Amino acid sequence: MSRLARMVRRVNVGLMLMLLASLALAYAVPQLPEPLDESTWPALLQPLAGVIRALGADRVFGTWWFSALLGAVALGSLLALAGQSALAWRRAFGTRTPSGKPLAFSRTAADDVLARARRHGYLVVRRSESAVKAVKHPWGHWGTTLLHAGIVIATVSSWYVLQSTATGVIQLAEGETFAPGQPWGIEEGGALAEPLVLPTPITLLRSEAEYWPDGSLRQVRSTIAFGAEDTKDVATVEVNGSVARGSVRLYQSQRVGSTLLVTVEGPSGEERVRVDSAAPAAPDVPSYEDYPLADGSTLRLKYFSDTERVSMTGVPEVVARMERDGNLLGQETLVSGVGVAVGDYEVTLFEVRAWTQLIVVSTRGMAAVFVGFVVILLGSLLLYVWPPRELFIETDDDTAHVWWRAWRFPDVYSDERERVFGAAREAMTDD
Amino acid sequence: MTEYLTHAEVYLHVLALVAYAAASMSAIAGVFTEKSPLLRWADRLALTGLVFHTAGLVARWVAIGHGPYVSRYEVLSANAWVVLVLYLWWSHRTELMRPFSVVVYPAVLLLMGLGVYMGPEVHQLPPTFSGIWLALHVAFYFVAFSVGLLTAAISLVIVADKRLGRFRARFPSEIALDRAVFRFAGLAFAFWGIGMLTGSVWAYYSWGRFWGWDPVETWSLVTWVTYGVYLHLRRMYGWRQRRAAILMLVCFGLAVGTLFFTSLINGSLHAVYFR
């Protein structure tokens, strides 16, 4: 085991360099689920497409070798952690006299040094008839151990969270219900993720979007009913304000818009059309959505958030445009509830509702990530802000031998050492 | 009141800029003429600039209703403020840091100047910009960047060494500088790591995803691992002084690239606020 530990510790920098190379590779090569078409890749990469695909360089973070590399880094850190724990234990509780030449004082002067040290925050951690050990920040010995333990906890738990997370996206218009078992709009999941199923049906009661005066999005909020139609379990989800039910948590997406419900009456009969139009980027900028009709023509709806073009929440304006084979058949502004002739068609806008997207997530292991975060913070503070300084006094008859040492950054604490020894230096013997 | 504060903060920033420019010139003159009073004046001028700067940041915060973490102007200004506060605190605590005013004050001036050049227009907060995790994420990155800048300043002196000629004597020994770089690099590594973690928790609450291999996230991880490589090479492989200092400058270069350039890439979520 110790040979293995030595070997892994020896190669830990190599593992980190391999991790860096993997990250650079993932940055250089477009990663899935980006478009699969190699013609969109940088010209330099296109001739290498075969090699890239064979190595999995287009999906680095999903490959077995990247997981193996992370595992090796975690193993290396764990073995390093074991070594550091043993070292910290020896430093904290070891009884060996420090190496190096001590300063020699009279016993009285040594008592004075100890008293000064205690006034400067040194704690007596060991005392016998012939020796005293006082340490400032004795817990600082555990800084390296905790820092590495935190990194291991955070790395392993982050990997577990990634692998155990299942995400589904649903798009609902006001009044619409999404039932457990219905297919998700978009669904993603890690290798350890369980199938994502809603515990109860959810109904979008209301979707509200708030905007800043410049038209940029300020907040999106959804009022949701959980359960059957007569349920009283109503909750509000907003960006940065999620809601949990059962094993899933609902997040508010920033994607919002208006669902336009339209009837189109043409030469071949009537068709009811639903178009989810995305919110425009600004009050004076329209959004467009196309809907292919059964007879081969296309209905294009142009949507402004405000007829006056000044507000994102004004009276909307919808323009219908009929096209076939690239030819314009007609174009008219729609009036709610009134049939409008557009070419050979009569188009009626009979309802406008808000729609939004909700992100449903099931995950495990987040608590461990938080623990890792706290342990890293604690380890860093102990290591770099509170490194231990030790005073070791050994006495025999009339003379006291005194060692002072800082395990880290002794130059920084040389002033403190002088303050501890203070006037006692004058009482140094020639020993 | 809001309009008054918005105007006032620009004037306060410009006053801080003038004080930092004077502090930089005084520090440079102090090192080159080897006159300590000039260095003391540099510290006083920097402190005066810091007062204006602090007042400017507070005025802007009150006027626009959010902290300095949305536009480039705000981020650069806040970074400059943290760098200066950390430097003044450390130089007060240890003699070792004092001569580095010759690097730190011009760096603060540069950050502030770039911020003012970018323009003080107010950017409205996107809906995801709220919560304690965002505040922690931003704060830890500010501190990590600032510690990294101080580390790079010391590394620069180690790398330049003899090229500094007789002025080299103004700085501590190479061994002391090397130890200081090692300590600060450890702090930068720790704060950067915590900044990444708090950022991922913030992302989890904002988007329901923990890590998305966004360009900023990826390069942030690259920077953190590179700091880790430095610490291991320095501690276990005997890298010292010039060689280690060059690697530390690479680390800082990566940090600058991650914070100020990768966020300009279109595909990045961070592009929303920093472009």
Side-chain angles (χ1 to χ4, degrees):
Chain A
M1 181 64 186
S2 60
R3 278 180 62 190
L4 176 67
R6 277 199 298 276
M7 188 188 78
V8 175
R9 284 174 61 185
R10 210 173 294 140
V11 299
N12 58 2
V13 172
L15 289 172
M16 283 196 266
L17 292 174
M18 285 164 71
L19 186 59
L20 283 176
S22 307
L23 294 172
L25 183 67
Y27 186 75
V29 179
Q31 298 291 292
L32 294 173
E34 291 293 309
L36 290 168
D37 185 4
E38 290 151 17
S39 63
T40 61
W41 290 8
L44 189 69
L45 297 175
Q46 288 177 21
L48 303 170
V51 181
I52 286 171
R53 295 219 188 281
L55 290 173
D58 57 343
R59 52 179 191 286
V60 168
F61 308 120
T63 56
W64 65 267
W65 55 262
F66 188 74
S67 290
L69 182 58
L70 283 184
V73 170
L75 180 66
S77 304
L78 263 179
L79 292 169
L81 183 61
Q84 286 153 4
S85 304
L87 185 63
W89 183 272
R90 281 200 301 276
R91 286 179 176 176
F93 304 112
T95 54
R96 283 175 59 184
T97 304
S99 56
K101 193 173 184 301
L103 296 174
F105 292 93
S106 67
R107 288 190 69 152
T108 317
D111 288 343
D112 181 46
V113 168
L114 182 61
R116 280 170 176 279
R118 293 181 72 166
R119 280 200 296 278
H120 282 94
Y122 285 64
L123 303 173
V124 175
V125 295
R126 205 174 69 244
R127 186 191 284 272
S128 66
E129 274 191 20
S130 60
V132 177
K133 184 180 176 185
V135 186
K136 187 166 184 176
H137 306 316
W139 42 85
H141 288 300
W142 299 94
T144 313
T145 309
L146 286 176
L147 177 63
H148 283 79
I151 291 171
V152 170
I153 294 168
T155 307
V156 172
S157 55
S158 298
W159 177 85
Y160 180 71
V161 168
L162 281 175
Q163 296 302 325
S164 68
T165 298
T167 306
V169 179
I170 48 176
Q171 187 162 314
L172 294 175
E174 284 178 344
E176 207 173 0
T177 299
F178 187 87
Q182 251 182 272
W184 299 95
I186 302 169
E187 188 179 6
E188 291 173 354
L192 306 176
E194 290 171 0
L196 184 65
V197 181
L198 276 178
T200 64
I202 56 171
T203 304
L204 179 66
L205 301 179
R206 188 167 164 72
S207 169
E208 299 165 272
E210 288 174 18
Y211 295 89
W212 292 103
D214 68 356
S216 57
L217 195 61
R218 182 175 188 172
Q219 183 56 279
V220 184
R221 194 171 293 115
S222 297
T223 309
I224 295 168
F226 292 88
E229 277 180 21
D230 57 349
T231 183
K232 299 283 186 208
D233 184 9
V234 174
T236 301
V237 186
E238 59 183 23
V239 176
N240 264 348
S242 59
V243 167
R245 286 293 181 281
S247 62
V248 302
R249 183 170 280 278
L250 270 75
Y251 294 87
Q252 175 65 60
S253 156
Q254 293 181 59
R255 287 183 58 82
V256 289
S258 297
T259 296
L260 309 171
L261 299 169
V262 174
T263 54
V264 181
E265 203 173 330
S268 55
E270 187 183 282
E271 201 170 332
R272 291 174 77 87
V273 171
R274 169 184 167 160
V275 175
D276 285 355
S277 179
D284 57 344
V285 177
S287 63
Y288 295 93
E289 291 294 333
D290 289 349
Y291 188 91
L293 295 171
D295 65 1
S297 53
T298 301
L299 169 68
R300 166 170 283 197
L301 294 177
K302 180 161 80 169
Y303 180 89
F304 282 102
S305 61
D306 184 18
T307 50
E308 304 291 325
R309 312 284 192 264
V310 293
S311 167
M312 289 299 289
T313 54
V315 177
E317 179 181 306
V318 183
V319 178
R321 179 186 172 106
M322 298 297 298
E323 290 177 10
R324 180 179 288 173
D325 302 327
N327 298 317
L328 177 66
L329 305 177
Q331 178 171 307
E332 272 312 322
T333 301
L334 300 181
V335 180
S336 187
V338 178
V340 174
V342 184
D344 295 339
Y345 299 83
E346 185 177 279
V347 181
T348 308
L349 174 68
F350 64 90
E351 197 173 353
V352 179
R353 296 186 205 169
W355 67 259
T356 191
Q357 278 189 348
L358 296 168
I359 304 163
V360 184
V361 179
S362 167
T363 193
R364 295 189 300 271
M366 275 304 292
V369 177
F370 288 104
V371 170
F373 157 61
V374 172
V375 174
I376 288 175
L377 182 61
L378 193 60
S380 307
L381 289 173
L382 292 180
L383 189 56
Y384 297 111
V385 182
W386 297 308
R389 279 90 78 187
E390 292 180 347
L391 186 72
F392 195 91
I393 302 174
E394 216 171 54
T395 50
D396 57 24
D397 299 333
D398 300 329
T399 311
H401 294 99
V402 182
W403 290 262
W404 179 94
R405 71 179 163 195
W407 282 105
R408 284 175 166 265
F409 324 117
D411 302 342
V412 176
Y413 299 106
S414 53
D415 290 350
E416 179 183 295
R417 184 188 58 205
E418 293 311 308
R419 284 197 297 274
V420 166
F421 287 124
R425 275 199 184 284
E426 291 163 14
M428 280 172 65
T429 68
D430 294 331
D431 187 8
Chain B
M1 181 67 173
T2 301
E3 201 175 334
Y4 169 76
L5 286 173
T6 310
H7 282 106
E9 72 90 7
V10 175
Y11 288 118
L12 287 165
H13 265 88
V14 171
L15 282 172
L17 204 58
V18 171
Y20 292 154
S24 302
M25 285 189 285
S26 188
I28 292 166
V31 166
F32 279 86
T33 59
E34 297 184 25
K35 287 181 178 164
S36 295
L38 281 170
L39 288 174
R40 281 198 293 276
W41 267 106
D43 292 343
R44 285 177 199 140
L45 286 163
L47 210 54
T48 309
L50 186 67
V51 172
F52 288 128
H53 194 169
T54 308
L57 285 170
V58 171
R60 186 175 175 92
W61 195 321
V62 173
I64 65 177
H66 63 76
Y69 48 73
V70 180
S71 66
R72 270 183 280 194
Y73 171 75
E74 291 165 7
V75 171
L76 288 165
S77 172
N79 268 318
W81 189 88
V82 178
V83 167
L84 190 58
V85 168
L86 283 180
Y87 169 74
L88 290 174
W89 180 63
W90 265 318
S91 64
H92 175 71
R93 281 198 58 168
T94 166
E95 285 278 344
L96 182 137
M97 284 305 291
R98 277 178 205 159
F100 289 96
S101 59
V102 72
V103 184
V104 173
Y105 294 160
V108 168
L109 176 68
L110 183 69
L111 287 170
M112 282 282 284
L114 278 173
V116 172
Y117 174 73
M118 300 292 178
E121 293 82 21
V122 175
H123 293 209
Q124 302 294 4
L125 279 183
T128 48
F129 271 55
S130 63
I132 183 67
W133 290 106
L134 170 69
L136 290 171
H137 170 56
V138 171
F140 277 113
Y141 267 111
F142 281 161
V143 177
F145 174 79
S146 303
V147 175
L149 192 146
L150 296 178
T151 313
I154 304 171
S155 300
L156 261 182
V157 171
I158 296 175
V159 172
D161 196 31
K162 291 191 174 65
R163 287 190 205 113
L164 293 173
R166 64 193 174 93
F167 307 115
R168 177 64 184 82
R170 303 286 294 185
F171 297 95
S173 72
E174 202 167 350
I175 292 170
L177 292 180
D178 184 58
R179 283 183 181 154
V181 169
F182 182 47
R183 184 180 196 187
F184 289 146
L187 279 174
F189 172 77
F191 284 125
W192 194 279
I194 296 166
M196 265 197 317
L197 273 171
T198 48
S200 59
V201 175
W202 170 53
Y204 177 71
Y205 284 124
S206 293
W207 296 288
R209 67 143 186 80
F210 185 80
W211 188 267
W213 299 112
D214 177 88
V216 174
E217 291 170 357
T218 304
W219 281 101
S220 193
L221 185 58
V222 167
T223 304
W224 187 64
V225 175
T226 311
Y227 269 108
V229 168
Y230 164 84
L231 291 171
H232 283 81
L233 288 174
R234 168 69 174 67
R235 186 164 172 77
M236 291 190 268
Y237 291 79
W239 280 43
R240 293 284 187 278
Q241 292 148 17
R242 185 178 165 79
R243 192 163 55 155
I246 290 171
L247 180 56
M248 183 43 56
L249 289 174
V250 171
C251 290
F252 183 65
L254 281 169
V256 170
T258 299
L259 293 178
F260 300 115
F261 294 105
T262 53
S263 54
L264 302 177
I265 295 167
N266 281 338
S268 169
L269 274 173
H270 296 74
V272 171
Y273 66 92
F274 211 58
R275 202 139 21 112

